[in-house]
Amino acid sequence: MKSSLLLLAALLLAGGSAFAGALQALAVGPIGVTVSDMDRSVAFFHDVLTFEKVADGEFHEDAFDRLEGVFGARVRVVDLRLGAETLRLTQYLTPQGRPVPIDSRSNDRWFQHVAIVVPDMDAAYARLREHKVLPVSTGPQTLPAWNQAAAGIRAFYFRDPDNHNLELIYFPAGKGDPRWQQKTGALFLGIDHTAIAVADTEASLRFYRDTLGLRVAGEGENYGPEQEHLNHVFGARVRITGLRAPSGPGIEFLEYRTPRDGRPYPADARPSDIVHWQTSVVVQSAAPLVRSLIDLTTLPLGSHRGALIRDPDGHAVQLTEP
C-alpha cells in the first residue's frame, strides 16, 4: 500500500527550504507509540507511572490503513493522560509487527522517548525499583554545575515492557517550564518533551523549524561521566536542541557528536513494528506540504485531515489539521 510516509523525503531532496514558513505549528501531541500487549502496557503506565486512561477503542478503518500505510490494520488505541499531556498507545491486532531490537542503544537513530517530570527524583526512582523496572541508566544522574543550561537537572532512563526508552526528569528552580515547580502532591507531573536521536541537527531544524514552524526553545551540549551513565553510551557527547509549539510537549534533538556509530532508522520499518513512535503536530494547514490529505473524521482520534510523514532520520510525524 502506498502511504504518505515517503513523500517528505522527496520534498527534502528537492530542497526543503522552498517550504520555509509554509506551515504554522499550533501544538504538539499526542505522542504515540506502538505496543505489543495493550493490557500489559496500560497496567505499566497506570500502576507504575500513574497515567490515567481517557479513551480506549478498537477499530478497522480504511482511512487508518491509508494514513499509516499498513494494509488490513485492526488496532486497539488507548489514550493515557498524565497532567496536561497525552500518550497514545496503539496495538496492531493485525498485522503484528517486529519487536524492538534487543541491542538498541540511545544513539541509534530509531531512539525516541518521552520525558516524564517528577518533583522528587529519589522517590520516583524508588518507585521504579519497587516495581522492578528495567533500567538503562546506571542510576539517576545530576548534570554538573559547569553546564549552565542544564546544571542541577536530574534524569534517569528506563524501559517499558516493550523495551521502549522512557525518562524521568527533575527540574530545579529556574530550569524548565515554570509549571513544573507548582506543588501538586503528585509524584509524576506530566510529559515535558519527546526526545529523538538525529544525525544532523541542521537538517532536523530545516524540517521541524523551517518547514513545520516550531521554534527553538533551548540549546546545549552535554558530555562527561554523568551523560555517559545517563544514556549508557561510553564517550557520549551530545548536542541537544529543544523545540516547541505554542502548546504541548517539546521535541528535543539528541545529536551524538561522539560516538558516531549510531545505526540508522530501519528502512523497512512499519508503524506496526514496536520500534515505531509517532509524534502528532497540529498545523494550521498541511496542504502546502502534503498534496493529498486523508480524511480522518471516521477515526475516533479527534482529527479532521492529516498525513503521516517521516523526518530526515525516519521518525514518524503525523500532521493533523484542527
Side-chain angles (χ1 to χ4, degrees), residues 53-72:
K53 184 193 295 186
V54 294
D56 186 346
E58 182 179 321
F59 59 90
H60 162 56
E61 294 282 350
D62 179 65
F64 187 83
D65 287 11
R66 291 186 290 114
L67 174 70
E68 301 288 332
V70 178
F71 172 73

Side-chain angles (χ1 to χ4, degrees), residues 98-121:
R98 299 169 296 183
V100 174
I102 193 65
D103 61 344
S104 288
R105 297 181 302 162
S106 299
N107 62 329
D108 292 326
R109 287 192 291 279
W110 57 82
F111 174 91
Q112 184 165 352
H113 74 218
V114 290
I116 299 166
V117 183
V118 298
D120 184 333
M121 177 60 76

Side-chain angles (χ1 to χ4, degrees), residues 171-176 181:
F171 292 105
K175 295 288 194 305
Q181 304 301 325

Side-chain angles (χ1 to χ4, degrees), residues 38 53-60 74-79 89-91 93 300-301:
M38 184 63 77
K53 184 193 295 186
V54 294
D56 186 346
E58 182 179 321
F59 59 90
H60 162 56
R74 185 174 192 89
V75 296
R76 181 181 173 193
V77 178
V78 172
D79 281 357
L89 308 182
T90 300
Q91 179 184 358
L93 305 174
L301 303 177

Side-chain angles (χ1 to χ4, degrees), residues 44-45 49 87 112-116 136 156-160 164-168 277:
F44 173 83
F45 281 99
L49 302 172
L87 182 67
Q112 184 165 352
H113 74 218
V114 290
I116 299 166
V136 175
F156 176 73
Y157 282 16
F158 61 103
R159 298 189 189 277
D160 77 355
H164 299 120
N165 276 262
L166 302 169
E167 180 184 24
L168 297 182
W277 289 78

Side-chain angles (χ1 to χ4, degrees), residues 217-228:
E219 298 178 277
E221 189 165 314
N222 292 357
Y223 58 90
E226 298 86 2
Q227 191 67 36
E228 294 176 336

